[in-house]
Amino acid sequence: MASQTKKLSLILIPLLISFLTSSVQSGGIAVYWGQDGREGTLKSTCDSGNYVIVILAFLTTFGNGKTPVLNLAGHCDPSTGGCKSLSTDIQACQAKGIKVLLSLGGGVGSYTLSSASDAQSVAEYLWNNYLGGTSSNRPLGNAVLDGIDFDIELGGTNYYDVLSKSLSSYSSKGRKVYLSAAPQCPYPDAHLGQALSTGLFDYVWVQFYNNQPCEYQSGDITKLTNSWNTWTSKVDASKIFIGLPASTAAAGSGYIPPSTLESQVLPMAKKSSKYGGIMLWNRYYDVLNNYSGQVLKSV
């Protein structure tokens, strides 16, 4: 009888370990790239092995009849065709299984959507110039990006739901168009509430920084926890990420020391089945602080 019990234990213990391991949510790291020429190349960003998603920042002008403008800071000048050389880097990233998205908006720019038809026109432009469509002058060359990120912080608040629906509809042409968003942590986000209500977003990286009512503060994760629980319970998205500054210099507030992230924040966040990982602003500050390298195994 004792030998049978021992044999049963030898069978059950590995199964229990497997169950417990599979029940713990694991995630990845997304990072914004493009707003500082000192951050290194896109290829070196992907070669680091630290990221699963890289977001190119930003398309700073679009909508309301304006000619869209790509702004990759010190990296290249799209007006002279200088950013087409990034096509090789984008494809190299994708060959590693890393998704590369284009972010719309940002904290500085000239963008708004004036009507539903305007939103549809922007979607068509994005499809033909950055996604799976065709154009005679694609700013990033022939590379086909994996999707579009919404970092809407300025301008009007309407018609981004139409834009998300229009972009999503292009997935029917054979290649999925991933949608992501970077709302501020106060819920609901003033600019992205309507878009997120569509339930079409694959990734939502909530900005838990520069927002004191819902961010980490001096060893206290209470406000962050309450906000995280709100976002994960109310937003219909495939995966939700904790958006963080990669160093104290990357934001005015909300920086979480890596040790605190690992010991307090991630165990809390991983209780949600929607946990997707963390998002870092941005690659330059991550290079300086090696934040992703410090927390990679825990994320």
Side-chain angles (χ1 to χ4, degrees):
M1 185 70 174
S3 62
Q4 290 180 336
T5 302
K6 185 176 179 180
K7 289 179 181 179
L8 185 61
S9 297
L10 291 174
I11 295 172
L12 291 178
I13 289 174
L15 291 175
L16 178 61
I17 293 174
S18 176
F19 171 77
L20 292 174
T21 302
S22 64
S23 65
V24 175
Q25 302 298 322
S26 61
I29 301 176
V31 70
Y32 279 85
W33 178 94
Q35 284 302 293
D36 198 307
R38 299 168 294 178
E39 65 196 338
T41 65
L42 179 59
K43 184 177 184 299
S44 67
T45 298
C46 294
D47 286 345
S48 72
N50 289 359
Y51 314 110
V52 296
I53 302 172
V54 177
I55 311 116
L56 308 182
F58 294 102
L59 191 74
T60 54
T61 300
F62 63 86
N64 201 27
K66 294 181 179 179
T67 300
V69 175
L70 177 68
N71 181 345
L72 294 179
H75 289 286
C76 57
D77 182 0
S79 67
T80 62
C83 296
K84 292 184 179 181
S85 60
L86 286 175
S87 184
T88 301
D89 282 15
I90 292 168
Q91 292 167 339
C93 292
Q94 292 170 327
K96 293 177 178 293
I98 299 168
K99 292 182 176 63
V100 183
L101 313 178
L102 173 66
S103 186
L104 311 180
V108 178
S110 178
Y111 56 87
T112 193
L113 297 175
S114 59
S115 65
S117 60
D118 185 31
Q120 292 164 349
S121 295
V122 171
E124 183 179 13
Y125 169 83
L126 293 170
W127 169 254
N128 286 326
N129 287 275
Y130 292 99
L131 300 170
T134 57
S135 169
S136 60
N137 189 27
R138 291 170 63 93
L140 297 175
N142 293 327
V144 177
L145 297 181
D146 294 288
I148 301 296
D149 175 63
F150 290 48
D151 184 14
I152 309 303
E153 303 180 30
L154 307 172
T157 61
N158 293 324
Y159 308 113
Y160 286 102
D161 54 338
V162 178
L163 179 59
S164 58
K165 290 175 183 177
S166 298
L167 286 169
S168 182
S169 70
Y170 284 110
S171 292
S172 64
K173 293 183 178 291
R175 177 167 176 163
K176 178 175 172 58
V177 176
Y178 288 87
L179 298 181
S180 66
Q184 308 291 315
C185 58
Y187 181 89
D189 182 89
H191 288 88
L192 290 170
Q194 292 181 12
L196 291 173
S197 69
T198 64
L200 294 172
F201 284 77
D202 301 283
Y203 314 116
V204 175
W205 15 81
V206 184
Q207 296 185 48
F208 290 105
Y209 53 95
N210 294 333
N211 285 290
Q212 293 191 7
C214 47
E215 68 185 20
Y216 168 82
Q217 292 178 322
S218 303
D220 187 355
I221 70 168
T222 303
K223 292 180 178 179
L224 171 60
T225 298
N226 291 339
S227 183
W228 172 259
N229 289 338
T230 297
W231 280 95
T232 53
S233 63
K234 293 189 176 183
V235 173
D236 182 12
S238 299
K239 293 296 178 181
I240 298 180
F241 290 60
I242 302 171
L244 300 171
S247 75
T248 55
S253 61
Y255 177 76
I256 303 178
S259 59
T260 303
L261 182 80
E262 292 178 314
S263 64
Q264 298 183 47
V265 177
L266 291 180
M268 173 276 297
K270 289 184 177 185
K271 292 176 183 178
S272 171
S273 61
K274 291 183 181 178
Y275 170 78
I278 66 172
M279 172 276 282
L280 295 178
W281 175 264
N282 59 23
R283 170 62 177 166
Y284 171 66
Y285 292 107
D286 194 27
V287 169
L288 294 181
N289 195 33
N290 190 33
Y291 196 96
S292 61
Q294 295 182 68
V295 303
L296 182 61
K297 292 182 179 180
S298 300
V299 172

